[in-house]
Amino acid sequence: MPHFVETLQQEAAEAIAQMQEAALRARHAHARAELMRHMLTTARKVKDKPKAEAVETVVREWMGAWSLQRSDWPHIAREMAAFTEAFHDYANDPSDQHDNRLREACAALDTVLEQEGTSISDQMAFRSECAHGWWEQVKPVPADLPGRKPRPSVPALESGKAFWEAGGADFCR
């Protein structure tokens, strides 16, 4: 039978592991939700424009915000355009049919980003000016991220490590 101190140490280690997993899940979900909120807001701003013009405006804005050149990432641009078209349709008619199309377009964008070793949440958190600072506390922007540029609205971590790796969880050791 483990003794009291060992039991407490094990409970603490398990709780810290659960906290880390929960923080990563929360960052993923929040960054993803923020992109969707921004996309819908942007789509609503241009919903009265001709669809092709509206889609081009939004795709250009987001590809630029993510520091991705269309010519270098045509497959991502294609899926971003389909994703944006789905948002445009939803902004003009928030029906179940358009919601389903939006979900499908989101899944397709997820797939193409995963093939590049990234995700919607990482793109939003690592590249967007709209990033929330706490995201970087949980999963810092990789120092070698291609096209990385300073984002004054997001304070960079000096350590380049998640808060639990930068001494926060090891302060008693």
Side-chain angles (χ1 to χ4, degrees), residues 3 24 27 56 78 87-88 104 111 124 137 152 158:
H3 290 199
L24 288 165
R27 178 234 180 234
E56 177 57 29
R78 250 187 326 277
F87 265 105
H88 183 271
E104 292 167 4
T111 298
M124 186 66 179
Q137 301 288 321
E158 288 185 30

Side-chain angles (χ1 to χ4, degrees), residues 147-159:
R148 181 180 183 179
K149 57 184 179 180
R151 299 176 300 163
S153 64
V154 181
L157 292 178
E158 288 185 30
S159 69

Side-chain angles (χ1 to χ4, degrees), residues 15-137:
I16 289 169
Q18 291 170 1
M19 175 272 307
Q20 292 169 353
E21 291 171 18
L24 288 165
R25 279 193 319 274
R27 178 234 180 234
H28 171 74
H30 189 229
R32 187 178 174 86
E34 278 296 282
L35 174 63
M36 302 311 155
R37 185 178 68 80
H38 282 286
M39 287 295 293
L40 185 55
T41 299
T42 305
R44 285 177 174 153
K45 286 181 193 176
V46 297
K47 75 178 195 167
D48 296 326
K49 291 184 177 185
K51 188 173 184 176
E53 180 184 340
V55 168
E56 177 57 29
T57 298
V58 175
V59 171
R60 185 175 47 251
E61 182 178 317
W62 279 104
M63 294 289 289
W66 288 357
S67 302
L68 298 174
Q69 297 299 317
R70 212 179 218 171
S71 57
D72 296 337
W73 304 98
H75 54 303
I76 293 175
R78 250 187 326 277
E79 294 304 333
M80 180 56 91
F83 182 62
T84 303
E85 285 177 18
F87 265 105
H88 183 271
D89 292 344
Y90 184 84
N92 280 285
D93 177 20
S95 64
D96 289 348
Q97 176 186 2
H98 288 139
D99 181 64
N100 286 334
R101 177 65 190 115
L102 188 55
R103 291 169 189 266
E104 292 167 4
C106 185
L109 181 58
D110 273 332
T111 298
V112 76
L113 289 171
E114 286 172 14
Q115 290 168 353
E116 295 298 331
T118 188
S119 66
I120 286 174
S121 59
D122 280 351
Q123 287 300 113
M124 186 66 179
F126 291 165
R127 298 181 178 280
S128 178
E129 289 294 326
C130 304
H132 292 247
W134 74 268
W135 296 343
E136 188 139 340
Q137 301 288 321

Side-chain angles (χ1 to χ4, degrees), residues 11 97 105 133 138 162 172:
E11 287 175 11
Q97 176 186 2
V138 172
C172 291

